[in-house]
Amino acid sequence: MNASSSKTIQTDALVVGAGPCGLFQVFELGLQGISAHVVEALPYSGGQCAELYPDKPIYDIPAIPVCSAIELVKRLEEQIEPFNPTFHLNQLVSEVVPTDDLTFLVTTSAGTEFEAQTVIIAGGVGSFQPMPLRVDGVEEHIDKQVFYRLRDTSVVNDRDVVILGGGDSALDWTIDLIDQARSLTLIHRSEKFRAMESSVRKMQEFVDAGRMRFMVGNTTGLAVQDGRLTGVHVTQPTGDVEELPCDRLLVFFGLSPTLGPIAEWGLELDRHNIVTDTEKFETNVPGIYAIGDIAIYPGKRKLILSGFHEAALAAFAIKQQLNPGQKVFLQYTTTSPIMHQRLGVDGNVK
Ligand code: FAD
């Protein structure tokens, strides 16, 4: 199926993944005068930096002695502003199909379609999927009474809510939903939390005030009546099992990355990585490039600065691919008038 529909978005470059390397790819493409569309599976950009360690310090970004991971993301977002990329968040690139005229028809889980001259995969360790609750029969209640992500908080209004998990998401939602729920119980496998201390303190205050319950234990079964979830079975450290009333179960066990659909696009893989050359960071499919953590080649180190270098060389190669027969010159941002124009600056130090 090569035909594209009238609402297909035409683009010279489509970046898959808005982690730090995908964001910097937009910058390097912008310097070359190439504008990009970016598709990101998460509802925000930043990849592992935003999802796994936003408040942790990073010390090995050149010329920034220290910054938090989320600050790095904010700085990258600011740096790419002049190039005005279009972000398509909260959607997974599900298909990349080469067409007869050497472009790629790209489809996302939200049904967005692109016809892209080049595709740059900056998919990191893959897309982040919620870690599932492993109890019998849970599948039939997902997004009805069992939720891994809460998009509409009104679903908990006046309900018996049970929240599972001990990280920031579990604690944040516990605090946020306390006034909406009829009853609220937080269940975690131990009294050790992976969340901010202030959130744990707040939750404890709610427990002391009798506004909610906290239980140590594991959810080992569901109570169901007439096809509807009515309770959860919690196995406590003593081995005792208690049934709690529950008609909304919110599961926040964290997110784990999976390569997902990228594995099906006909690219040469080495375990969970995409094999590239080290000149252009092109894959075995001409016109598809890979940079950042997902790219593998001899000597590869999965560091943000490696991905920045890869993004720069990929951008030169893409410029060449889009302008066959023309020489692509190296230009400095310090002195190049065309780059100043693209950056919207006058080239003088303020
Ligand atoms: P990622 O950050 O993984 O982003 C990839 C993005 O692609 C994700 O947002 C994902 O949702 C998206 N995606 C994947 N598949 C699809 C798809 N099919 N459709 C749409 N979107 C998709 N590195 C350093 O250099 N210095 C450090 O100090 C450092 N500290 C770290 C600390 C921790 C705890 C961890 C876990 C990592 C650390 N790293 C550090 C590594 C660094 O975070 C990674 O090298 C970097 O995030 C890689 O960036 P990326 O853009 O390639 O991929």
Side-chain angles (χ1 to χ4, degrees):
M1 209 272 295
N2 286 346
S4 59
S5 76
S6 58
K7 51 182 183 34
T8 303
I9 299 166
Q10 315 278 333
T11 181
D12 283 340
L14 182 89
V15 179
V16 180
C21 303
L23 293 176
F24 197 65
Q25 184 67 75
V26 171
F27 180 75
E28 287 294 331
L29 288 167
L31 286 182
Q32 298 294 341
I34 301 163
S35 62
H37 283 255
V38 184
V39 183
E40 168 56 55
L42 291 170
Y44 36 79
S45 52
Q48 293 172 57
C49 293
E51 192 60 45
L52 300 181
Y53 60 108
D55 302 317
K56 293 221 162 30
I58 305 183
Y59 299 96
D60 58 348
I61 302 300
I64 304 180
V66 59
C67 72
S68 71
I70 203 67
E71 192 186 340
L72 176 69
V73 174
K74 293 216 168 79
R75 285 178 183 230
L76 286 164
E77 285 172 338
E78 191 186 331
Q79 195 172 16
I80 64 178
E81 258 171 34
F83 303 125
N84 209 12
T86 310
F87 282 89
H88 306 264
L89 298 174
N90 225 353
Q91 42 194 304
L92 190 74
V93 173
S94 43
E95 264 194 330
V96 175
V97 181
T99 66
D100 296 338
D101 55 355
L102 300 178
T103 60
F104 299 95
L105 198 57
V106 179
T107 319
T108 77
S109 54
T112 316
E113 265 186 22
F114 302 89
E115 195 178 310
Q117 303 291 319
T118 62
V119 176
I120 305 101
I121 304 172
V125 282
S127 57
F128 293 92
Q129 300 297 330
M131 305 263 277
L133 170 66
R134 296 187 198 283
V135 297
D136 286 345
V138 70
E139 292 78 17
E140 54 207 71
H141 305 289
I142 305 279
D143 289 336
K144 295 178 200 145
Q145 291 182 275
V146 177
F147 298 89
Y148 292 114
R149 285 192 173 119
L150 203 57
R151 295 201 170 89
D152 172 13
T153 59
S154 70
V155 297
V156 307
N157 286 353
D158 211 21
R159 299 288 180 175
D160 292 317
V161 177
V162 172
I163 296 182
L164 308 183
D168 281 316
S169 298
L171 269 291
D172 289 350
W173 280 118
T174 298
I175 293 164
D176 286 356
L177 300 177
I178 189 109
D179 291 327
Q180 284 171 248
R182 176 167 49 213
S183 72
L184 198 153
T185 307
L186 173 69
I187 301 173
H188 181 44
R189 60 173 187 269
S190 83
E191 289 192 9
K192 285 198 186 121
F193 292 92
R194 285 171 282 107
M196 301 230 307
E197 259 177 49
S198 55
S199 308
V200 177
R201 261 199 314 276
K202 184 122 201 139
M203 182 275 292
Q204 203 57 59
E205 282 167 22
F206 288 150
V207 172
D208 294 344
R211 298 183 63 192
M212 60 166 285
R213 192 172 167 198
F214 168 64
M215 273 180 84
V216 175
N218 288 309
T219 304
T220 47
L222 303 179
V224 176
Q225 274 173 19
D226 301 328
R228 287 190 58 77
L229 177 72
T230 56
V232 290
H233 298 154
V234 183
T235 304
Q236 293 162 294
T238 53
D240 294 342
V241 179
E242 183 175 335
E243 181 174 323
L244 294 180
C246 169
D247 50 11
R248 294 291 182 268
L249 181 60
L250 312 182
V251 183
F252 299 113
F253 287 161
L255 300 174
S256 87
T258 81
L259 193 55
I262 294 174
E264 280 134 45
W265 299 342
L267 303 169
E268 188 188 341
L269 299 178
D270 179 353
R271 276 164 290 173
H272 296 295
N273 304 294
I274 300 173
V275 176
T276 68
D277 62 46
T278 51
E279 183 194 346
K280 303 174 181 170
F281 298 95
E282 199 168 26
T283 68
N284 61 310
V285 178
I288 301 187
Y289 300 77
I291 61 140
D293 273 15
I294 205 160
I296 190 94
Y297 49 83
K300 167 78 183 199
R301 299 285 176 201
K302 292 191 179 188
L303 287 171
I304 296 167
L305 65 80
S306 314
F308 287 174
H309 160 80
E310 294 153 14
L313 292 200
F316 278 103
I318 289 165
K319 175 81 172 177
Q320 187 69 78
Q321 182 192 325
L322 296 175
N323 300 278
Q326 282 180 28
K327 197 155 168 47
V328 178
F329 293 102
L330 174 79
Q331 298 183 67
Y332 294 130
T333 57
T334 323
T335 50
S336 161
I338 181 91
M339 284 188 170
H340 292 162
Q341 198 188 352
R342 288 171 185 155
L343 285 163
V345 295
D346 62 12
N348 295 311
V349 177
K350 295 277 175 312

